[in-house]
Amino acid sequence: MCNAFFQNTLEDPQDRETKLKLARYRRRLQMLMRALYTISGSAMRKAYLTQQELLQHLNTAAQEVKTSKDSSKLHILRSHMEKLHLHLQEMASPLPLSLGCLVSGVDVERSSYFPSNTVPLKVSFISNASSDASSEDLPPTIPAIYKVGDDLRQDQLTIQMIRIMDKLWLRDGLDLKMVTFACVPTGDRSGIIELVTEAKTLREIQVMGNR
């Protein structure tokens, strides 16, 4: 809960209009941030710091990939992912998605980007958890999406509403097999999203159905 509150309290406005709006609440946000640091222990404060450094790497990579030419996007992405991999090897960090997801590197070859308007990054983090005996040569990975250019607070609110509705339906004996995912805004126009594997996009479904 504290980690989610920390991410939503960070000040990272991307445009002039938002900066003007934020100025009205800046002092209150600073007071909330100081209070959060006061009640947090040293381990939690370290987690905040390492997450901020991780997000700075991701934000720089996403901005450069988004504004570069199509022919150089993958090269730029992998260059940034190699830097992030070295950084995480020196200082492992929990993912903003969950403090329990400690990552110590990036699988550069399995990281890519989606060719949509905002060009979100698909980052394959290497989990710090020890792999089982059957997969010693393949460390477990945690796939995630990092996105800049969209207000993910709206996505977060939508997912929260879906979870609430699912609980109400389950209480009445109606199981609609709802699958939700973690979505954590890390700034005014940025955030990290849990990647649901083995899923199809709406566009893929529409193309398959000739719609």
Side-chain angles (χ1 to χ4, degrees):
M1 183 66 72
C2 285
N3 189 60
F5 180 75
F6 171 76
Q7 298 298 338
N8 281 280
T9 312
L10 290 175
E11 302 177 24
D12 185 26
Q14 299 293 322
D15 55 75
R16 184 174 180 274
E17 182 181 354
T18 306
K19 287 180 180 179
L20 292 174
K21 290 181 180 178
L22 185 62
R24 185 182 307 173
Y25 310 105
R26 183 180 302 277
R27 188 161 187 171
R28 180 172 296 178
L29 288 173
Q30 289 174 342
M31 291 175 63
L32 289 171
M33 186 66 77
R34 287 196 207 102
L36 182 61
Y37 270 103
T38 301
I39 64 173
S40 300
S42 59
M44 183 65 77
R45 288 195 292 270
K46 181 180 179 181
Y48 296 153
L49 176 62
T50 55
Q51 285 181 90
Q52 282 185 292
E53 293 177 349
L54 167 64
L55 291 171
Q56 286 174 0
H57 279 277
L58 289 174
N59 195 65
T60 301
Q63 293 286 4
E64 288 195 25
V65 171
K66 185 178 180 180
T67 56
S68 64
K69 296 180 180 179
D70 291 343
S71 59
S72 59
K73 286 186 187 298
L74 189 59
H75 174 73
I76 292 173
L77 170 67
R78 289 185 173 174
S79 175
H80 280 285
M81 291 302 101
E82 287 172 358
K83 293 177 184 177
L84 178 57
H85 176 68
L86 293 174
H87 170 75
L88 289 173
Q89 283 190 318
E90 293 180 1
M91 183 180 295
S93 170
L95 285 179
L97 294 170
S98 172
L99 285 177
C101 296
L102 192 66
V103 293
S104 57
V106 175
D107 190 331
V108 178
E109 295 299 320
R110 293 172 66 180
S111 299
S112 59
Y113 64 90
F114 295 94
S116 61
N117 290 335
T118 56
V119 197
L121 306 184
K122 176 187 174 184
V123 185
S124 185
F125 292 100
I126 298 175
S127 173
N128 200 42
S130 58
S131 56
D132 54 36
S134 62
S135 58
E136 291 181 354
D137 298 329
L138 296 173
T141 58
I142 303 173
I145 298 171
Y146 185 78
K147 197 173 188 179
V148 294
D150 280 344
D151 188 354
L152 293 182
R153 291 171 296 187
Q154 299 178 16
D155 299 67
Q156 185 183 51
L157 178 60
T158 301
I159 293 170
Q160 288 174 349
M161 292 301 298
I162 292 173
R163 287 173 178 162
I164 292 172
M165 293 304 301
D166 188 41
K167 288 180 180 179
L168 294 175
W169 290 326
L170 288 172
R171 190 176 66 184
D172 290 339
L174 182 60
D175 187 0
L176 298 179
K177 308 296 182 183
M178 301 297 293
V179 177
T180 58
F181 52 88
C183 176
V184 180
T186 57
D188 177 56
R189 291 287 186 275
S190 63
I192 188 166
I193 307 168
E194 177 186 3
L195 181 62
V196 180
T197 58
E198 299 182 10
K200 294 185 181 296
T201 63
L202 179 59
R203 179 176 176 78
E204 288 175 326
I205 295 171
Q206 290 172 336
V207 170
M208 289 176 62
N210 295 321
R211 295 181 181 177

